[in-house]
């Protein structure tokens, strides 16, 4: 009558227990076999994976485009600001990966802290992100190889892009072959694939160090002409530096790949924060040094936006450096391809463990200790997409998945600190079964005395009531923080709105953010914890996660309407899958929730 009741809708926000997230639930999903992922990764492995995933070929192009259009010689400052903004999300990831060291990354954290439906949408968005991202990277390798063969028309047939009658986009066999090779490598095992990733990443870093050292020598020898222009260090003002930082922020995406391998790390409480920290620090240092050299060797308006580094060296008679730089671009693309395909099967495996996709995708091979079926599935989809489609126009969809994940991770940190779940799912016997009849007859008197609590919990004490009131305030404050951030970044982003509307919205959003933050600071953090952090805690909570939410929200708002239309279609398809399959087959289906006392 009249539609679903609130208890029926509560299944959308049901949360899995943190203690069982990496043990019991996973083993149940595997059919009790107990086959786990191999715990072989250490800090060097994680750093190689993180740096390889982060430093793509974009650094070989972005320095020219951003310097010409936004920052001028101030490009280095833009990289620093973008690195600091990325560090906000990295610190949130570091704490949650220590608390919940299991496969799934942002999907896993959202499931524990926010709810099943949100977690599904985040996982679904991440699958799209990594698939399109991997395909886009793979299609970029063939053009970069053309230099070594004397041009696009001289590439071997299996490397060249081929125009097929009836297709608007040329097919790219090279991209598909490389994706399949990387997929086969990942099927061999995490230790083997991380070793290869480390070799390729090291070679790429050597190329970047060559650019820094050779460029620095040329700069000191010739007087750093790029810094002596008439427009000064910030030709477009500090606003140009900030707009450049918004573009360069995406050059730091990739450290989240480290979090996706949490279940395969020997000492996650120590190694995961170290791996993420070293990844961002090394990437930020290399980005800043390369950008300082490039914009210093030539005036920013004279830099070729397509081949900025090669063109700068060519101005000093070092045309041969083009081959070194192109080698670095190819190596960066291959490393980024490995890092792009690596997290996908682990996210799908985590979703299969939770029952949201068929359980066969959670099976881990006993020899290689990787989810081979999930790896083959994701690799094949990426290879088909790379072969047939020009995914450059879909690149914005990659950013949506990443930024949504970053935002949910920041919200999850607030939930963990101020309102951690205090209910544990427990399996309930179905009505009419012998178990339920026996339970009814043996506990009938107790049930009559305590009708309100089928688990027989004692009446809550005064301290438990106070804790519940504090939790309710915390939850409301977190909701208002999200609402205030949405209003504030919308007002800032939508420049077509009248000025008084923008100012009113900014004021309302700012007041919501400020008042809710003050409430959280006053009520204090929850003394109980969902799990040990291993000593690492995200600093400056709640201010740092709130800043993270605002930064990611602003970037999401500025991705463009066409991107959001495409993402909405993908999300709608995911919602249908969840409602027709995941909702019924979830490992939490049929569970009742039992209140546990705070520690």
């Amino acid at each position: 009558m009249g539609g679903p009741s609130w208890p029926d809708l509560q299944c959308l926000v049901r949360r899995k227990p943190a203690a069982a997230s990496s043990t019991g639930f996973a083993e149940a999903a595997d059919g009790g076999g107990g086959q786990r992922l191999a715990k072989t990764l250490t800090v060097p492995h994680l750093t190689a994976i993180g740096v390889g995933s982060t430093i793509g070929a974009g650094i070989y192009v972005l320095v020219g485009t951003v310097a010409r259009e936004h920052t001028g010689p101030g490009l280095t400052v833009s990289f620093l600001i973008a690195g600091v903004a990325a560090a906000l999300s990295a610190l949130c990831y570091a704490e949650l990966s220590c608390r919940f060291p299991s496969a799934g990354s942002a999907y896993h954290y959202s499931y524990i802290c926010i709810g099943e439906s949100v977690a599904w949408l985040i996982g679904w968005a991440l699958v799209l992100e990594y698939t399109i991202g991997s395909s886009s990277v793979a299609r970029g390798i063939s053009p970069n190889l053309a230099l070594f063969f004397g041009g696009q028309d001289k590439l071997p047939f299996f490397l060249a892009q081929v125009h097929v009658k009836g297709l608007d986009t040329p097919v790219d066999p090279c991209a598909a072959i490389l994706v399949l090779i990387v997929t086969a490598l990942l099927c061999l095992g995490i230790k083997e694939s991380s070793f290869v990733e480390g070799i390729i990443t090291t070679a790429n870093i050597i190329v970047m160090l060559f650019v820094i050292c050779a460029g620095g020598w040329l700069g000191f020898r010739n007087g750093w002409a790029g810094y002596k222009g008439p427009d000064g260090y910030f030709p477009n003002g500090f606003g140009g530096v900030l707009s450049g930082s918004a573009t360069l922020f995406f050059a730091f995406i990739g450290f989240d790949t480290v979090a996706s391998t949490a279940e395969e790390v020997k000492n996650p409480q120590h190694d995961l924060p170290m791996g993420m920290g070293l990844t961002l620090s090394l990437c930020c240092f290399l980005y800043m040094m390369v950008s300082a050299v490039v914009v210093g060797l030539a005036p920013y308006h004279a830099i070729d936006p397509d081949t900025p580094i090669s063109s700068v060296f060519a101005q000093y008679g070092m045309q041969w450096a083009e081959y070194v730089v192109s080698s670095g671009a190819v190596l960066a693309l291959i490393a980024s391809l490995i890092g792009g395909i690596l997290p996908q099967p682990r996210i799908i495996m985590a979703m299969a463990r939770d029952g949201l996709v068929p359980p066969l995708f959670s099976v881990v091979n006993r020899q290689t200790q990787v989810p081979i079926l999930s790896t083959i599935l994701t690799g094949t989809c990426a290879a088909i997409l790379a072969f047939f489609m020009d995914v450059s126009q879909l690149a914005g969809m990659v950013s949506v998945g990443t930024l949504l994940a970053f935002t949910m991770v920041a919200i999850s940190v607030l939930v963990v600190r101020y309102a951690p779940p205090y209910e544990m799912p427990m399996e309930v016997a179905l009505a009419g079964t012998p178990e339920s009849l026996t339970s009814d007859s043996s506990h009938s008197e107790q049930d009559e005395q305590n009708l309100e609590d089928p688990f027989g919990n004692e009446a809550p004490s005064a301290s438990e009531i106070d804790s519940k009131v504090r939790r309710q305030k915390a939850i409301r404050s977190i909701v208002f923080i999200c609402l205030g951030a949405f209003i504030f970044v919308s007002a800032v982003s939508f420049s077509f709105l009248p000025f008084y509307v923008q100012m009113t919205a900014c004021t309302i959003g700012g007041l919501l953010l400020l008042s809710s933050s003050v409430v959280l600071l006053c009520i204090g953090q929850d003394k109980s914890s969902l799990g040990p952090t291993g000593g690492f805690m995200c600093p400056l909570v709640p201010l740092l996660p709130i800043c993270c939410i605002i930064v990611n929200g602003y970037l999401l708002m500025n991705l463009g309407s066409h991107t959001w239309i495409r993402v909405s279609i993908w999300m709608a398809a995911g919602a249908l899958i969840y409602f027709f399959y995941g909702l019924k087959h979830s490992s939490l289906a049929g569970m009742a929730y039992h209140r546990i006392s705070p520690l």
Side-chain angles (χ1 to χ4, degrees), residues 93-101 109 262 268-273 531-536:
Y93 265 94
E95 174 170 340
L96 294 180
S97 62
C98 289
R99 287 180 179 268
F100 319 120
Y109 312 145
Q269 280 72 27
H270 172 268
D271 293 351
L272 284 169
T533 63
F536 183 83

Side-chain angles (χ1 to χ4, degrees), residues 139 156-162 170-179 386-387:
R139 286 189 72 95
F157 72 93
F158 59 90
L159 294 179
Q161 295 182 352
V162 181
V171 297
D172 194 337
C174 175
I177 292 171
L178 282 172
V179 171
F387 183 76

Side-chain angles (χ1 to χ4, degrees), residues 4-197:
S5 62
W6 167 241
D8 297 329
L9 296 177
Q10 278 188 311
C11 60
L12 298 178
V13 293
R14 57 193 175 195
R15 299 184 282 191
K16 68 178 178 181
S21 61
S22 60
T23 53
F25 274 48
E27 290 177 5
D30 290 337
Q35 187 61 42
R36 311 294 295 159
L37 299 176
K39 282 187 170 293
T40 60
L41 300 181
T42 57
V43 173
H45 296 109
L46 296 175
T47 305
I49 292 172
V51 174
S53 303
T54 304
I55 300 181
I59 181 59
Y60 296 95
V61 178
L62 280 178
V63 289
T65 304
V66 176
R68 285 174 62 94
E69 298 179 0
H70 300 284
T71 67
L75 179 63
T76 306
V77 179
S78 285
F79 267 117
L80 177 61
I81 295 173
V84 172
L88 300 179
S89 295
L91 290 170
C92 295
Y93 265 94
E95 174 170 340
L96 294 180
S97 62
C98 289
R99 287 180 179 268
F100 319 120
S102 187
S105 188
Y107 157 78
H108 178 61
Y109 312 145
S110 300
Y111 204 163
I112 294 173
C113 300
I114 301 177
E116 183 177 275
S117 58
V118 173
W120 164 262
L121 290 178
I122 293 298
W124 189 245
L126 287 175
V127 169
L128 175 70
E129 170 205 336
Y130 290 123
T131 302
I132 294 180
S134 302
S135 304
S136 178
V137 166
R139 286 189 72 95
I141 294 176
S142 176
N144 280 279
L145 288 174
L147 173 68
F148 300 99
F149 292 90
Q152 286 278 6
D153 54 341
K154 296 183 179 180
L155 280 171
F157 72 93
F158 59 90
L159 294 179
Q161 295 182 352
V162 181
H163 289 272
V164 178
K165 188 176 182 180
L167 293 178
D168 296 332
T169 304
V171 297
D172 194 337
C174 175
I177 292 171
L178 282 172
V179 171
L180 293 176
I181 291 174
V182 169
T183 301
L185 171 65
L186 293 174
C187 288
L188 295 178
I190 186 63
K191 191 171 185 179
E192 291 76 7
S193 53
S194 63
F195 177 74
V196 174
E197 177 85 322

